[in-house]
């Protein structure tokens, strides 16, 4: 991810949209890259939900977090089966 921001709370709505869209179309070929994107997506939508009280954004954040959790579990299984090597 080009944007390694950990705190998105100080960004405006348009800034959040811009950083999300900048990441959206980047190719992701591994489960880890996809998991990192869904982590990021979850944080962006959670920031929107917190600021605006937007229930749709909260739902999108929860879905992205669930997708991320599944992908991280897949990464962990592959690492375990390969003796820690991806």
């Amino acid at each position: 991810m080009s944007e390694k921001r950990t705190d998105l709370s100080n960004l405006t709505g348009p800034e959040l949209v811009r950083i999300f869209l900048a990441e959206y179309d980047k190719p992701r070929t591994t489960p880890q890259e996809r998991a990192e994107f869904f982590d990021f997506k979850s944080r962006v939508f959670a920031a929107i939900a917190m600021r605006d009280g937007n229930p749709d954004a909260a739902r999108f954040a929860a879905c992205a977090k669930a997708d991320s959790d599944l992908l991280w579990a897949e990464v962990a299984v592959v690492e375990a089966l390969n003796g820690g090597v991806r």
Side-chain angles (χ1 to χ4, degrees):
M1 308 244 111
S2 61
E3 291 287 338
K4 290 287 190 181
R5 297 178 187 262
T6 56
D7 182 16
L8 302 174
S9 63
N10 60 345
L11 298 178
T12 66
E15 289 171 327
L16 287 167
V17 171
R18 268 193 297 279
I19 65 169
F20 176 73
L21 291 176
E23 293 298 325
Y24 183 78
D25 284 334
K26 291 184 179 177
R28 290 168 188 84
T29 57
T30 67
Q32 181 176 356
E33 289 172 336
R34 291 192 309 274
E36 289 170 352
F37 172 73
F38 282 111
D39 280 341
F40 174 74
K41 180 179 179 180
S42 174
R43 292 186 308 112
V44 167
F45 280 100
I48 293 170
M50 293 229 5
R51 182 185 28 262
D52 300 340
N54 185 324
D56 290 331
R59 185 171 40 88
F60 292 141
C63 289
K65 179 66 176 142
D67 290 339
S68 171
D69 290 346
L70 287 172
L71 287 164
W72 283 123
E74 180 182 329
V75 168
V77 167
V78 170
E79 286 180 351
L81 292 173
N82 293 328
V85 179
R86 280 187 213 147

